[in-house]
Amino acid sequence: MTRLEDREAFIARYSALFEHSPWVVERAAQRLPLPSLHAGLMRVVADATPEEQLALIRAHPELASKAAVDGTLTQASAAEQASAGLDRLTHAEFDRFHALNTAYRDKFGFPFIVCVRLSNKAGILAAMERRLGNDRNVEVAEALYQIGEIVRLRLEMIA
């Protein structure tokens, strides 16, 4: 297999790891071989411009949003949100998520990101409320950390 074939196979296997952001995997493919797959992918994110990092964050769906209801989430996001019970919300829970999503997006300019597979509805709601008190720089860093956790768990699923 040539280096180009290695890169193409790498991209084909991992391009969906980052929500609507195949550029991360494409850039990582230029750095093959990576000493650690997860660390190498996250190094690409860390090396990205602030604008690219924001685009990556903004590529994620809001939790328990209309996209979850109308079926437009990626397969991975739908499964992850279902694992935390976000596909089985009461009207009151849905309204609470909607209000917090709106407040969060209004304050920070991007959706609330959390690795839902490591939490549940109550924990996610508590985190949303708590993190609304943070400043924007803290939330950008936290969103990127949470994306790293999402990718780590997605990697475990395909390994």
Side-chain angles (χ1 to χ4, degrees):
M1 201 178 276
T2 68
R3 269 178 124 42
L4 179 59
E5 290 170 327
D6 287 344
R7 287 183 189 147
E8 289 172 354
F10 179 85
I11 291 167
R13 180 164 187 184
Y14 299 115
S15 65
L17 284 174
F18 292 85
E19 203 77 16
H20 303 291
S21 303
W23 62 267
V24 177
V25 173
E26 291 164 2
R27 287 185 191 172
Q30 300 301 315
R31 301 176 180 188
L32 291 175
L34 301 172
S36 160
L37 181 54
H38 183 260
L41 291 167
M42 296 315 296
R43 175 82 298 188
V44 169
V45 172
D47 291 345
T49 67
E51 294 79 18
E52 290 169 327
Q53 291 174 347
L54 278 175
L56 173 62
I57 293 167
R58 288 179 177 141
H60 285 74
E62 288 184 342
L63 299 177
S65 67
K66 183 178 180 285
V69 174
D70 68 17
T72 58
L73 289 177
T74 64
Q75 185 176 10
S77 284
E80 290 159 356
Q81 289 198 31
S83 76
L86 301 185
D87 61 338
R88 300 175 302 279
L89 298 176
T90 66
H91 287 302
E93 289 170 330
F94 183 83
D95 290 345
R96 186 72 184 132
F97 269 99
H98 180 71
L100 288 168
N101 278 332
T102 299
Y104 190 92
R105 184 176 288 281
D106 288 349
K107 181 172 182 179
F108 299 113
F110 50 83
F112 175 81
I113 309 293
V114 69
C115 183
V116 297
R117 287 181 48 205
L118 298 177
S119 194
N120 58 33
K121 288 186 282 189
I124 294 165
L125 285 168
M128 290 175 91
E129 290 170 352
R130 182 182 68 253
R131 286 173 48 190
L132 270 167
N134 289 340
D135 71 29
R136 192 167 194 276
N137 290 336
V138 168
E139 277 307 296
V140 167
E142 183 63 24
L144 294 174
Y145 171 79
Q146 292 296 325
I147 289 169
E149 289 298 284
I150 293 165
V151 169
R152 182 179 60 79
L153 292 176
R154 286 179 180 180
L155 278 170
E156 288 176 7
M157 297 285 291
I158 55 177

